[in-house]
């Protein structure tokens, strides 16, 4: 029974998968640029003592892994100096045609995986939507991010826009920042988490190709996992209870956490500029009672979940201009409390009607929350704005929306 329990607990990790993929941004330093030590140099975060050993079967080349690990020094350290040569082994690997679904060597007690995807959008479009502080991240990462935001002092908040730099990009631009993220419920356990990230963004060229590096490390322990439900992952419809624990698998009583997360995501423009290759190197340590239950397959499943929704949004010919989404976000944030309450209550009623027969919402604590106006009352103002803004995006994309206005 003990081992069956531990295998079930492994599913907790699925909810962490969106983490590496969310939150994108930072600011250009017009003075001397920060620089990193060469790949595998002493002090590179988590560098393996056996990094010179032959590559494991099915793993990326060791020099690409060491390059990604060296880049992690940028996140959270404005004094770190970015050296383009430190990123070269990673970017050369991507240009040569990266693998996909590969396991990475463990680092800092965390499991790792590498994934690659073709994004059906030019890099400029990705930057304008996904790395624009005026456009909330949950609009471009709706399957993995419930809420996120840049903290005051983050470079990206005062930057004119990374997408405006592509035509005249003659040297790396480095931005630093700090943000919070809350992710959507995991598809196995129903748990969702909130945590802080240090992030660095590097916009550069490598062998003539425009590249964005998004480098993130989790700062401290996440909040305790809370119970949620994936109602319709394909339509980005989720239920959030605010109750500590996990929803499924007999794990409702568990206090689970994300203990640490490290990621390097590279977006590399493809020849012709119509598509972009996204490659993620991700390490994650999470679970219960300080046990890491994450496996590489969990990370890879989260990467696929992210990429499907990301492509559905940014690849749609019905996607409104970024400035329209930003304007709608401002409108909802500034909306009088009474009108916001009215719209959210209408959304909650539509949600209750649409999922009246859902077995996980029929009784118990979730059933109580779904009655009357209780669910709307569990959402704070930012969460109310988020619900309505995401439903607005769905209506513009031509998918099922539960908001009438």
């Amino acid at each position: 029974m003990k081992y069956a329990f531990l295998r079930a607990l492994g599913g907790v990790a699925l909810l962490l998968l969106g983490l590496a993929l969310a939150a994108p941004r930072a600011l250009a330093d017009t003075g001397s640029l920060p620089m990193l030590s060469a790949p595998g140099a002493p002090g590179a975060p988590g560098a393996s003592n056996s990094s010179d050993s032959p590559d494991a079967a099915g793993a990326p080349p060791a020099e690409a892994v060491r390059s990604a690990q060296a880049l992690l020094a940028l996140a959270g350290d404005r004094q770190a100096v970015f050296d383009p040569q430190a990123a070269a082994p990673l970017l050369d690997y991507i240009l040569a045609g990266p693998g996909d679904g590969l396991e990475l060597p463990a680092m800092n007690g965390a499991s790792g995986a590498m994934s690659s995807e073709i994004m059906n959008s030019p890099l400029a479009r990705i930057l304008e939507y996904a790395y624009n502080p005026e456009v909330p991240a949950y609009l471009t990462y709706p399957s993995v991010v419930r809420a996120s935001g840049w903290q005051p002092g983050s470079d990206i908040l005062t930057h004119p826009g990374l997408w405006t730099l592509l035509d005249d990009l003659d040297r790396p631009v480095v931005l630093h920042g700090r943000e919070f993220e809350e992710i959507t419920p995991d598809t196995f356990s129903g748990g969702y988490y909130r945590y802080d990230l240090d992030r660095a963004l590097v916009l550069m060229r490598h062998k003539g190709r425009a590249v964005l590096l998004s480098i993130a490390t989790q700062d401290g322990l996440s909040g305790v996992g809370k119970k949620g439900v994936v109602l319709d992952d394909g339509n980005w419809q989720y239920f959030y209870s605010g109750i500590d624990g996990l929803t499924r698998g007999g794990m409702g009583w568990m206090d689970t956490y994300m203990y640490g997360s490290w990621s390097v995501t590279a977006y590399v423009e493809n020849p012709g500029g119509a598509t972009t290759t996204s490659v993620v190197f991700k390490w994650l340590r999470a679970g219960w009672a300080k046990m890491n239950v994450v496996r590489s397959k969990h990370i890879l499943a989260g990467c696929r979940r992210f990429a499907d929704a990301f492509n559905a949004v940014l690849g749609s010919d019905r996607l409104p201009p970024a400035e329209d989404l930003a304007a709608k976000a401002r409108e909802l944030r500034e909306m009088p409390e009474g009108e916001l309450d009215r719209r959210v209550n209408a959304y909650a009623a539509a949600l209750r009607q649409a999922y009246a027969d859902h077995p996980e919402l029929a009784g118990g604590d979730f059933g109580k929350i779904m009655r009357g106006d209780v669910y709307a009352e569990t959402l704070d103002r930012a969460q109310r704005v988020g619900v309505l803004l995401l439903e607005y995006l769905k209506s513009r994309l031509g998918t099922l929306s539960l908001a009438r206005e």
Side-chain angles (χ1 to χ4, degrees):
M1 179 180 295
K2 173 183 177 183
Y3 296 107
F5 166 76
L6 291 176
R7 284 196 299 272
L9 183 57
V12 174
L14 285 173
L15 83 81
L16 306 148
L17 305 170
L19 185 123
L21 308 154
R25 5 330 189 173
L27 191 218
D29 178 4
T30 56
S32 60
L33 293 172
M35 231 171 234
L36 290 176
S37 55
S48 170
N49 292 331
S50 58
S51 59
D52 292 329
S53 61
D55 298 338
E63 60 270 21
V65 176
R66 290 195 297 266
S67 178
Q69 290 174 331
L71 288 169
L72 291 170
L74 269 181
D77 185 1
R78 289 179 176 271
Q79 303 306 311
V81 179
F82 174 67
D83 178 2
Q85 292 305 309
L90 172 62
L91 298 177
D92 286 343
Y93 169 61
I94 296 171
L95 293 186
D100 181 36
L102 304 181
E103 186 172 354
L104 297 176
M107 184 184 78
N108 296 337
S111 302
M114 171 265 178
S115 175
S116 66
E117 301 281 350
I118 299 298
M119 300 302 181
N120 298 319
S121 299
L123 181 58
R125 184 175 174 91
I126 291 173
L127 293 174
E128 186 175 7
Y129 284 88
Y131 293 83
N132 181 344
E134 297 298 317
V135 177
Y138 52 80
L139 296 183
T140 50
Y141 308 116
S143 64
V144 293
V145 177
R146 181 194 189 188
S148 72
W150 289 99
Q151 303 290 2
S154 297
D155 295 337
I156 198 168
L157 295 176
T158 55
H159 194 269
L162 289 170
W163 61 94
T164 68
L165 305 180
L166 288 174
D167 290 342
D168 300 311
L169 185 63
D170 57 3
R171 66 169 186 157
V173 174
V174 181
L175 306 179
H176 292 274
R178 181 178 172 84
E179 56 188 333
F180 76 88
E181 279 186 357
E182 184 174 22
I183 50 182
T184 61
D186 148 62
T187 55
F188 175 84
S189 71
Y192 61 97
Y193 300 75
R194 184 182 176 107
Y195 48 85
D196 293 321
L197 292 171
D198 289 314
R199 188 176 296 276
L201 299 176
V202 180
L203 187 65
M204 61 181 292
R205 290 195 181 276
H206 181 74
K207 296 184 176 178
R209 304 269 197 99
V211 174
L212 176 74
L213 296 173
S214 180
I215 304 155
T217 60
Q218 182 178 323
D219 182 22
L221 194 68
S222 75
V224 66
K226 296 182 183 296
K227 298 180 181 182
V229 179
V230 177
L231 299 174
D232 184 350
D233 206 36
N235 197 47
W236 319 318
Q237 198 66 257
Y238 309 100
F239 168 83
Y240 302 90
S241 73
I243 300 170
D244 293 352
L246 298 177
T247 303
R248 298 179 184 170
M251 299 180 285
W253 55 273
M254 288 183 180
D255 287 342
T256 59
Y257 297 90
M258 292 171 54
Y259 298 118
S261 172
W262 302 262
S263 67
V264 176
T265 304
Y267 292 96
V268 181
E269 68 173 357
N270 291 324
T275 63
T276 304
T277 296
S278 169
V279 174
V280 179
F281 281 63
K282 171 76 176 178
W283 290 266
L284 194 60
R285 185 163 61 89
W288 168 75
K290 298 185 179 179
M291 294 187 299
N292 178 39
V293 301
V294 179
R295 299 294 177 262
S296 297
K297 64 181 180 180
H298 301 139
I299 299 174
L300 293 171
C303 290
R304 303 286 188 272
R305 187 185 183 199
F306 150 78
D308 288 348
F310 192 80
N311 269 326
V313 174
L314 289 186
S316 173
D317 57 8
R318 299 185 58 165
L319 181 65
E323 54 268 27
D324 288 3
L325 294 178
K328 188 66 176 181
R330 288 192 296 272
E331 174 192 329
L332 290 172
R333 283 196 295 264
E334 296 168 2
M335 183 171 287
E337 196 73 26
E339 177 62 14
L340 190 65
D341 288 348
R342 184 186 69 78
R343 295 192 186 193
V344 171
N345 283 327
Y347 160 80
L351 183 73
R352 185 167 58 251
Q353 181 177 1
Y355 296 96
D357 297 327
H358 195 287
E360 290 179 292
L361 301 184
D365 290 336
F366 293 179
K368 294 176 183 177
I369 292 172
M370 287 301 291
R371 295 189 195 116
D373 296 335
V374 177
Y375 185 55
E377 292 171 359
T378 67
L379 307 177
D380 62 27
R381 185 176 177 88
Q383 291 165 345
R384 293 175 177 216
V385 168
V387 160
L388 296 179
L389 190 55
L390 182 56
E391 294 301 316
Y392 166 77
L393 174 66
K394 293 178 191 178
S395 71
R396 294 295 302 269
L397 296 179
T399 62
L400 177 65
S401 173
L402 297 182
R404 303 293 188 266
E405 301 175 72

